[in-house]
């Protein structure tokens, strides 16, 4: 089978397509024929060494496909079944071993590429909108990178809850997409804090969802109302350096969290209930999953360059 391997950490040039033997599923594992693999920012962190990766390794973590074979002890899945997953190392490949506990059945109303496109970013948007902050009708939220993969989904979920959304983007074309996803107002990053105050009568927004990190963090804090919540959930521009917690005091008893998906899908029940809700909204036409780019496996370097070069919108998929 063909797979995208990394032998040393570095830029997109370390991504190499190789031929590897098809693995045998061990106890609790399922072998899946991959139809689409999700390209996520975390893959770039692992590729470049920001997050540890035991090398050599096949990159990728998310995808959707058909069950090919079951390992010993696996129940509840059958060969040919449509499935998706958010965390199976080695997903940039024609076949991958997925722990059965990570596999989610994909219902008839959802296409496999859509399932691959929504799992990681959709689950992230889901926990951010439902649990990280108690969003209700009238909540004011600032969503950075509003035309990105997570950004478009998060904006839609916030709007389903009746929130007001101020989004940031870098180009007019991206602004149009953010607005189409429901954002009430869209501005360039430099205007975010001032606009947040204008829109809220000087008070500040209730919650900031910041995935850009290094470049936006300080400004994001000043967009918040007293006792507002800063959800720093990524570092597309680089990681935020060490932070003096006294600033939270000075800026109005702010809350700061650095959430991660694993903490919000700790049990299989939690994984399935969030996924069921996402798939239900997609099937009902209430959640639009935008695939902004598809790449054949040999073009994987271009996918990473485009994502990190801010040339993309929505979700990127690798098609093995
Ligand atoms: P996006 O599609 O959002 O791509 C990143 C976007 O960030 C770009 O398109 C760009 O939009 C914006 N951006 C702003 N500044 C920069 C910069 N200096 N370099 C690159 N991009 C920049 O990616 P994803 O939706 O895949 O992921 C978004 C973030 O969410 C990532 O940081 C990721 O790590 C994080 N994440 C966190 C999770 C968690 O649970 N904690 C789970 C999933 C993702 P524009 O051109 O409009 O500025």
């Amino acid at each position: 089978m063909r797979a995208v391997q990394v032998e040393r950490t570095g830029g997109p040039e370390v991504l190499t397509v190789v031929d590897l033997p098809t693995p045998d599923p061990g106890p609790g594992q399922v072998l899946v024929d991959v139809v689409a693999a999700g390209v996520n920012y975390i893959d770039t962190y692992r590729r470049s060494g920001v997050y540890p990766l035991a090398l050599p390794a096949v990159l990728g973590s998310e995808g959707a496909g058909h069950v090919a074979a079951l390992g010993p002890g696996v129940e509840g899945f059958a060969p040919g079944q449509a499935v998706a997953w958010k965390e199976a190392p080695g997903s940039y490949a024609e076949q991958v071993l997925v722990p059965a506990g990570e596999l989610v059945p994909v219902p008839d109303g959802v296409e496999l590429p859509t399932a691959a496109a929504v799992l990681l970013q959709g689950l992230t948007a889901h926990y951010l909108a439902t649990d990280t902050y108690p969003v209700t009708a009238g909540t004011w939220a600032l969503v950075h990178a509003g035309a990105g993969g997570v950004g478009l989904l998060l904006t839609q979920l916030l709007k389903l809850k009746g929130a007001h959304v101020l989004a940031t983007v870098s180009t007019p074309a991206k602004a149009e997409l953010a607005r189409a996803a429901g954002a009430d107002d869209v501005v360039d990053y430099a205007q975010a804090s001032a606009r947040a105050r204008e829109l809220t009568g000087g008070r500040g927004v209730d919650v900031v969802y910041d995935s850009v990190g290094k470049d936006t963090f300080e400004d994001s804090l000043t967009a918040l109302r007293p006792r507002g919540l800063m959800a720093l959930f990524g570092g597309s521009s680089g990681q935020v350096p060490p932070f003096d917690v006294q600033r939270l005091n000075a800026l109005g008893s702010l809350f700061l969290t650095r959430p991660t998906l694993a903490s919000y899908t700790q049990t299989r029940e939690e994984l399935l209930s969030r996924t069921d809700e996402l798939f239900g909204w997609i099937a009902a036409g209430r959640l639009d999953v935008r695939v902004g780019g598809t790449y054949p496996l040999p073009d994987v370097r271009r996918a990473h360059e485009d994502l990190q070069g801010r040339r993309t919108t929505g979700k990127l998929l690798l098609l093995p």
Side-chain angles (χ1 to χ4, degrees), residues 122 125-126 129 153-161 278 281 287:
H126 190 282
L153 295 167
L154 179 57
T155 298
Q156 291 177 75
L157 297 197
L158 292 169
K159 293 307 295 178
L160 282 179
K161 288 180 169 288
L278 287 171
W281 286 326
L287 180 64

Side-chain angles (χ1 to χ4, degrees), residues 64-310:
H66 295 108
V67 171
L70 304 179
V74 174
E75 288 175 2
F77 294 99
Q81 187 176 352
V83 287
W85 59 95
K86 65 171 175 52
E87 189 54 68
S91 292
Y92 284 9
E94 288 174 326
Q95 292 177 304
V96 63
L97 292 175
V98 184
E102 275 289 340
L103 269 190
V104 173
V106 178
D108 284 344
V110 179
E111 302 288 332
L112 280 175
T114 304
V118 81
L119 262 223
L120 197 146
Q121 294 175 345
L123 287 168
T124 301
H126 190 282
Y127 84 71
L128 288 171
T130 56
D131 295 307
T132 301
Y133 183 86
V135 174
T136 53
T139 295
W140 261 107
L142 167 58
V143 175
H144 283 305
V150 177
L152 286 173
L153 295 167
L154 179 57
T155 298
Q156 291 177 75
L157 297 197
L158 292 169
K159 293 307 295 178
L160 282 179
K161 288 180 169 288
H164 306 296
V165 176
L166 167 63
T168 55
V169 296
S170 65
T171 68
K174 288 188 176 188
E176 209 168 299
L177 283 175
R179 266 193 209 96
D184 299 274
D185 202 353
V186 186
V187 290
D188 185 75
Y189 293 87
Q191 297 163 278
S193 183
R195 190 73 184 129
R197 299 231 162 253
E198 266 170 39
L199 290 167
T200 56
R203 195 159 176 260
V205 294
D206 301 296
V207 56
V208 176
Y209 296 106
D210 189 344
S211 64
V212 173
K214 187 164 72 65
D215 289 356
T216 45
F217 181 73
E218 283 296 327
D219 199 47
S220 294
L221 291 174
T222 66
L224 282 163
R225 65 158 165 82
R227 291 169 23 204
L229 182 131
M230 162 69 145
L232 172 70
F233 71 99
S236 302
S237 67
Q239 304 304 316
V240 173
F243 172 75
D244 175 7
V245 291
Q246 278 301 110
R247 309 245 6 255
L248 301 176
N249 163 352
L251 289 164
S253 307
L254 301 183
F255 292 86
L256 167 64
T257 182
R258 175 57 178 91
T260 188
L261 178 54
S263 319
Y264 288 89
T265 48
Q266 291 187 67
T267 62
R268 182 143 180 86
E269 289 66 36
E270 195 173 23
L271 171 67
L272 291 178
S273 72
R274 292 190 196 282
T275 312
D276 280 355
E277 209 159 16
L278 287 171
F279 285 163
W281 286 326
I282 293 169
R286 299 179 73 197
L287 180 64
D288 178 46
V289 181
R290 178 184 169 81
V291 175
T294 56
Y295 301 77
L297 212 58
D299 287 354
V300 61
R301 291 179 185 177
R302 192 161 55 81
H304 276 219
E305 284 160 4
D306 288 349
L307 183 61
Q308 292 189 285
R310 303 173 75 162

